Amino acid sequence: MRKLLHTVLLGLLGAGIVHIVVLMLVPEFSERDAWSRLAMASDLYKMTRLDAEAGGAPVVKSVDPLFYAAACRFDLAEGMVRIKAPGNVPFWSVSVYDRSGHNLYSFNDHSATGGVLDTVVLTPAQMIDVRRELPEELQGAIFVEAPIEEGIFVIRSFVPDDSWKPVVSQFLGQSSCELQDY
């Protein structure tokens, strides 16, 4: 009986120590998510280059050096968001993430009309309003219905060789992420 009590007390003490250590480490790990890093780098509705090509340290380290990326944070509680990028690059893909980093929607240039990036991210309620009277300027846009309030839109573009670097940088640099009032 004494050994059992000793074992239980030792287990509880060990569990308590582990619990305290985990609680002390939570702030260290929670400040490293994509939302927090982007929040430190830029405001809502502002496209931010994620790679080091933009100068300085990268916001998020990429595992593939042949892709450049940009992202913007948005808040659908304020209205729907339109993301556009002019020009043609060899390949682009986009993803919409919720604030926690879960991928909600992805597509690439083969899904877009003429390969042009023109996307609107909106809530299901906002989609109902837009369907009533679709504005003419949104006729060719891809609509992403996202049941979230805050999210991140990421554009990735392929850089096949050094001659494409300025073109892809211009494509990402001229991309826009704007709050829309329709």
Side-chain angles (χ1 to χ4, degrees):
M1 183 68 171
R2 193 173 202 182
K3 284 186 177 186
L4 178 63
L5 183 59
H6 183 265
T7 304
V8 170
L9 287 175
L10 191 58
L12 288 174
L13 179 64
I17 291 171
V18 169
H19 182 74
I20 291 170
V21 168
V22 168
L23 286 177
M24 293 181 124
L25 290 175
V26 165
E28 179 68 26
F29 289 109
S30 66
E31 293 175 6
R32 293 184 183 169
D33 68 347
W35 182 271
S36 299
R37 286 183 167 193
L38 280 169
M40 288 187 287
S42 68
D43 295 328
L44 287 170
Y45 314 108
K46 182 172 183 326
M47 291 302 282
T48 305
R49 288 288 295 268
L50 300 179
D51 49 76
E53 187 65 26
V59 175
V60 178
K61 293 181 182 170
S62 174
V63 294
D64 193 342
L66 296 178
F67 277 84
Y68 287 170
C72 84
R73 296 178 308 121
F74 58 84
D75 186 353
L76 295 179
E78 296 179 15
M80 59 185 186
V81 178
R82 187 172 188 186
I83 298 94
K84 293 172 67 173
N88 291 314
V89 291
F91 173 81
W92 57 259
S93 69
V94 298
S95 297
V96 177
Y97 297 92
D98 66 8
R99 185 179 173 137
S100 301
H102 298 107
N103 190 345
L104 302 174
Y105 198 84
S106 297
F107 64 94
N108 61 37
D109 57 349
H110 298 293
S111 304
T113 305
V116 175
L117 176 56
D118 187 2
T119 305
V120 177
V121 182
L122 62 172
T123 65
Q126 292 166 340
M127 185 66 172
I128 291 170
D129 291 340
V130 169
R131 282 185 183 161
R132 286 187 191 135
E133 268 188 63
L134 182 64
E136 190 172 320
E137 60 267 16
L138 297 179
Q139 292 291 331
I142 295 175
F143 288 88
V144 176
E145 201 172 312
I148 59 172
E149 279 194 22
E150 297 174 320
I152 302 170
F153 190 90
V154 178
I155 306 171
R156 293 174 198 84
S157 185
F158 180 58
V159 183
D161 60 47
D162 288 346
S163 67
W164 281 97
K165 285 183 178 183
V167 175
V168 172
S169 288
Q170 182 178 4
F171 174 78
L172 293 175
Q174 292 180 346
S175 61
S176 64
C177 176
E178 298 173 349
L179 186 62
Q180 299 289 302
D181 341 316
Y182 291 106

